[in-house]
């Protein structure tokens, strides 16, 4: 069952406080040398470094329609929330690490003395994943960039006319990200005489909570993560914790894998939230960061990605929600009607996007990620640092190219990606009918209720 609640926009005063190119740390000493390995804790700018020079920069040439006649008439944007504070669990682990370093570390490095004498633990458990000011700005800026990239769709006229719809997860960081996206548009067009509702729909945006088979067989099943646990206890991760202990000047037994994670998160959060190269980052070199990134990717692979079939099938409800909307827009366009939903903005989580990307076949490697093939997976496609930074987004854009020909373009983080199975196309904008044929089995099946049902064996 789908539940909707309406909210009106809240106006807030903001006080200033898949080939991917990355920022080179040498270009900016304020960027940690390990920043491109922060997985789902990474900045959007590491995926789109040109935004460091101009946060509102867009390059319309990336769209490359096959002819000038092609005009967009519908956009669905599935967006991850912006930068957030640590969860209460993360904050608690970081506090434990900080206490250990204060009382036990004996190293003489200047960065360690800075941690012990100057740095203060300011993360608290009650922050619990709330959107930070950087996250507010990310969604505002994304809204403005998309309005520049698709000006005929994301326009003041379309917004005022009710042709732009907003749907969000109920989590505060997602609701506030939705409000921020809307504020980006209303501030751009100086709209002060009208509010714009959004709908909360957890059955679509937090489908993973409602899929019984997924919850019981994967999410709440510790044995489902056996590959992650084996890697965390293996030689690569052991070397990371031993090097960390050496740098701190403490016994190896004091540094657990959870403490290594906490230190890595401290470096990542300090950079994402405060834009500082924290002394905590000195605990890791690039090889350490690659190992921790792989451990995180293993978790995402087996918990949300290709590890188990139910991971992606749990997103069937979102898959059909998207294609039903695309089909409706295509039908309205074909009949000459006004497309009633020119733009749909859906705000959720990394855990919303990853199962859908997996279901669609993106970033699938020939060999599964496991605990023993770290050394051979250095060139893997499945890399959350590339795919799912804060404010990550999947855009699906329908074009009318004349003579009844419709085309669909997919963009991930504002860059075109090719639909798996359609790689022989000369364009990243294949015919919509070819896309539907490519996903025919999913469109005809992939029933959420059926896929998520737990079947009992014979008595």
């Amino acid at each position: 069952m789908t539940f909707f609640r309406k909210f009106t926009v809240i106006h807030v005063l903001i006080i200033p406080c898949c080939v991917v190119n990355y920022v080179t740390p040498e270009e900016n000493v304020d960027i940690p040398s390990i920043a491109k390995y922060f997985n789902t804790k990474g900045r959007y700018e590491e995926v789109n470094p040109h935004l460091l020079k101009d946060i509102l920069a867009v390059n319309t040439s990336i769209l490359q329609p096959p002819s000038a006649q092609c005009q967009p008439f519908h956009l669905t944007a599935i967006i991850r929330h912006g930068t957030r504070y640590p969860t209460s669990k993360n904050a608690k682990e970081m506090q434990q690490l900080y206490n250990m370093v204060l009382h036990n570390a004996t190293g003489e490095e200047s960065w360690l003395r800075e941690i012990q004498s100057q740095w203060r633990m300011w993360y608290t458990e009650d922050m619990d994943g709330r959107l930070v000011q950087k996250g507010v700005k990310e969604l505002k800026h994304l809204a403005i960039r998309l309005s520049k990239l698709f000006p005929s769709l994301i326009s003041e006229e379309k917004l005022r006319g009710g042709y732009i719809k907003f749907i969000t997860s109920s989590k505060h960081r997602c609701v506030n990200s939705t409000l921020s996206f809307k504020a980006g548009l209303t501030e751009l067009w100086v709209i002060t005489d009208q509010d714009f509702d959004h709908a909360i729909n957890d059955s679509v945006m937090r489908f993973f909570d409602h899929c019984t088979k997924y919850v019981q067989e994967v999410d709440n099943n510790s044995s489902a993560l056996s590959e992650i646990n084996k890697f965390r206890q293996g030689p690569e991760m052991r070397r990371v914790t031993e090097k960390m202990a050496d740098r701190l000047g403490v016994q190896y037994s004091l540094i657990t894998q959870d403490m290594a994670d906490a230190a890595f998160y401290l470096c990542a959060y300090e950079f994402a939230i405060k834009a500082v190269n924290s002394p905590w980052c000195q605990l890791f070199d690039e090889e350490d960061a690659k190992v921790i990134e792989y451990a995180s990717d293993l978790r995402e692979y087996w918990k949300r990605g290709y590890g188990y079939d139910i991971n992606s099938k749990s997103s069937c409800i979102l898959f059909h929600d998207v294609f039903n909307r695309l089909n409706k827009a295509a039908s309205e366009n074909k009949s000459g009607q006004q497309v009633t939903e020119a733009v749909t903005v859906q705000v959720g989580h990394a855990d919303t996007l990853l199962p859908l990307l997996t279901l669609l076949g993106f970033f699938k490697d020939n060999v599964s990620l496991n605990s023993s093939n770290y050394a051979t997976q250095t060139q893997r496609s499945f890399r959350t640092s590339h795919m799912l930074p804060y404010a990550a987004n999947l855009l699906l854009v329908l074009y009318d190219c004349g003579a009844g020909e419709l085309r669909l373009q997919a963009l991930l983080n504002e860059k075109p990606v090719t639909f798996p199975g359609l790689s022989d196309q000369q364009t990243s904008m294949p015919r919509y009918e070819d896309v539907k044929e490519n996903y025919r089995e999913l469109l005809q099946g992939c029933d959420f209720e059926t896929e998520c049902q737990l079947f009992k064996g014979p008595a």
Side-chain angles (χ1 to χ4, degrees), residues 52 94 97 215 303 306 325 327 380 414 439 445:
L52 289 169
M94 290 189 293
L97 169 68
V215 170
K303 196 165 186 178
Y306 290 102
R325 187 179 304 111
N327 287 336
R380 65 189 180 279
E414 302 173 70
Y439 295 117

Side-chain angles (χ1 to χ4, degrees), residues 41-333:
K41 307 295 187 293
R43 295 192 314 176
Y44 195 72
E45 290 88 342
E46 262 56 61
V47 174
N48 284 306
H50 65 279
L51 296 178
L52 289 169
K53 293 182 178 179
D54 180 0
I55 196 63
L56 300 180
V58 296
N59 179 9
T60 55
S61 67
I62 64 170
L63 301 178
Q64 297 181 332
S67 76
Q69 192 174 358
C70 296
Q71 296 298 318
F73 64 89
H74 174 81
L75 163 66
T76 286
I78 305 169
I79 305 171
R80 184 192 178 194
H81 59 76
T83 301
R84 61 167 174 81
Y85 286 116
T87 61
S88 55
K89 178 177 181 288
N90 289 157
K92 186 176 182 179
E93 291 172 344
M94 290 189 293
Q95 180 67 58
Q96 292 171 346
L97 169 68
Y98 178 57
N99 291 340
M100 188 279 294
V101 171
L102 277 183
H103 298 106
N104 299 93
T106 61
E108 298 295 330
E109 298 288 346
S110 60
W111 57 265
L112 180 54
R113 291 198 301 271
E114 181 182 346
I115 290 174
Q116 293 177 315
S117 63
Q118 300 177 36
W119 194 88
R120 294 290 179 266
M121 171 56 69
W122 64 281
Y123 299 104
T124 58
E125 292 183 42
D126 60 1
M127 289 175 171
D128 197 23
R130 294 188 178 277
L131 195 70
V132 303
Q133 194 62 226
K134 174 69 158 57
V136 170
K137 292 178 180 179
E138 284 167 339
L139 271 294
K140 284 188 172 189
H141 293 151
L142 177 61
I144 295 170
R145 290 197 304 273
L146 293 186
S147 75
K148 293 168 69 175
L149 201 56
F150 302 104
S152 65
L153 296 178
I154 303 180
S155 66
E156 181 178 356
E157 179 185 6
K158 288 283 199 296
L159 182 62
R160 286 185 177 278
Y163 298 108
I164 301 179
K165 308 292 186 184
F166 301 93
I167 302 169
T168 178
S169 153
S170 64
K171 287 291 184 180
H172 41 67
R173 54 186 170 271
C174 295
V175 172
N176 288 330
S177 291
T178 305
L179 294 173
S180 300
F181 190 99
K182 288 191 284 187
L185 300 180
T186 57
E187 291 171 11
L188 174 65
W189 299 316
V190 197
I191 299 175
T192 59
D193 61 340
Q194 190 174 351
D195 291 335
F196 304 97
D197 291 346
H198 60 259
I200 288 180
N201 188 343
D202 279 348
S203 64
V204 171
M205 303 312 295
R206 291 185 60 83
F207 51 78
F208 41 86
D209 286 339
H210 304 277
C211 182
T212 304
K213 184 176 182 181
Y214 170 76
V215 170
Q216 294 197 20
E217 294 188 356
V218 180
D219 200 28
N220 291 342
N221 180 8
S222 59
S223 65
L225 302 182
S226 60
E227 289 298 320
I228 299 97
N229 294 331
K230 283 190 284 187
F231 183 76
R232 285 169 63 82
Q233 295 164 11
E236 295 93 352
M237 197 68 192
R238 188 180 311 116
R239 179 61 181 146
V240 170
T241 58
E242 289 174 352
K243 286 164 67 179
M244 183 174 161
D246 289 340
R247 290 175 178 127
L248 290 171
V250 299
Q251 295 180 351
Y252 287 170
S253 60
L254 282 179
I255 303 298
T256 64
Q257 287 91 355
D258 286 343
M259 282 193 171
D261 289 340
F264 197 69
Y265 288 151
L266 271 169
C267 173
Y269 280 119
E270 291 280 273
F271 184 53
I273 296 172
K274 300 170 68 177
V276 299
N277 190 344
S278 170
W280 290 101
C281 301
Q282 301 303 313
L283 281 168
F284 306 100
D285 58 28
E286 188 172 17
E287 188 54 45
D288 301 330
K290 290 178 180 179
V291 171
I292 296 175
E293 181 197 37
Y294 188 73
S296 176
D297 283 349
L298 266 182
R299 174 174 291 278
E300 297 298 333
Y301 186 92
W302 289 95
K303 196 165 186 178
R304 305 289 185 189
Y306 290 102
Y308 300 101
D309 188 54
I310 190 58
N311 295 350
S312 61
K313 292 295 178 60
S314 68
S315 71
C316 284
I317 191 168
L318 176 58
F319 172 85
H320 284 297
D321 177 73
V322 168
F323 273 92
N324 287 343
R325 187 179 304 111
L326 294 175
N327 287 336
K328 181 183 177 185
S331 177
E332 290 174 340
N333 179 75

